[in-house]
Amino acid sequence: MIHENSSVDLDLLGPIVRKYSGRKRDALLPMLHDAQKIYGWLPVDVQKATGETLRVPLAEIHGVIEFYSMFYNRPTGRQVIRVCDDIACDLAGSKALFASLKGKLGLSNELSDLEQNITIEQVPCLGMCDKAPAALSGEISAGKLSVNDLRSLITGDYQNIANHVVGDPRLILSRVGQVDPSSLRDYQANGGYQVLDRMLAMQPDEIINLIDQVGIVGRGGAMFPLGQKWRFTRFGDSESKYVVVNADESEPGTFKDRILMEGDPFAVIE
């Protein structure tokens, strides 16, 4: 359902419109995010102004808002708490946790209380299977939650637990919990960027051939050879080259990517 709202103050959107003036469809997601930060949701008049600024049809904007769960075309609370209900969290009791959260906030069928300025939702995998049951309060993650944690989750005082790698972490996660993720010096002291140094001493074709020999492939299902991807990029016409990495598809079990990015981010770059 699309909610009309005639009381929207579009003057508030002025700085955003000026910021994105002259841009095209590639700026749609960031402009919608910026607009939603102002209003808490995306009223129709705001959607229209966005479309006029970026020359994007209103129907396409509706489609984007409906597709991405973090965009809202209805009034919501400024604070949004999302509780994971996927497999790992469900098994860890997320349904009971969500019911308790509703009760603590005095919510019944409606999941928003605009007087308290809060909205709660059940959502698919948050990439925190190792911390189930998990939730997001705004952009703050929370894991290993219990009913006793709900008050601090609501107030924003919840102290999240650290990443914990169990079993044999192998090479890819071996530095997680052992290094300061914000320290380049710490990363290098634990073997970081040694492989990069070796690669810089090789020719590009040598590197691609090495990747072919090792047989590294994509893990998303298609199993497409990485060496071929790099070869296509190498002989592209443009001088600028980009590598796009889909780090976490938010499917149960893929949380290793999140742990790697949080606990050993320089390894992602290397």
Side-chain angles (χ1 to χ4, degrees), residues 187-199:
Y187 178 68
Q188 291 175 310
N190 285 271
Y193 286 127
Q194 291 181 3
V195 173
L196 178 61
D197 289 339
R198 284 164 45 202
M199 293 300 102

Side-chain angles (χ1 to χ4, degrees), residues 151-212:
R151 176 51 56 190
S152 61
L153 182 67
I154 294 169
T155 60
D157 296 326
Y158 179 80
Q159 297 296 314
N160 202 1
I161 61 174
N163 290 320
H164 179 52
V165 180
V166 298
D168 179 4
R170 305 294 177 93
L171 177 62
I172 193 170
L173 297 177
S174 61
R175 277 184 294 260
V176 174
Q178 308 301 315
V179 299
D180 176 358
S182 65
S183 171
L184 173 59
R185 187 188 300 270
D186 207 6
Y187 178 68
Q188 291 175 310
N190 285 271
Y193 286 127
Q194 291 181 3
V195 173
L196 178 61
D197 289 339
R198 284 164 45 202
M199 293 300 102
L200 290 175
M202 298 172 63
Q203 294 299 314
D205 288 335
E206 290 182 289
I207 297 174
I208 293 175
N209 290 336
L210 176 62
I211 295 299
D212 278 334

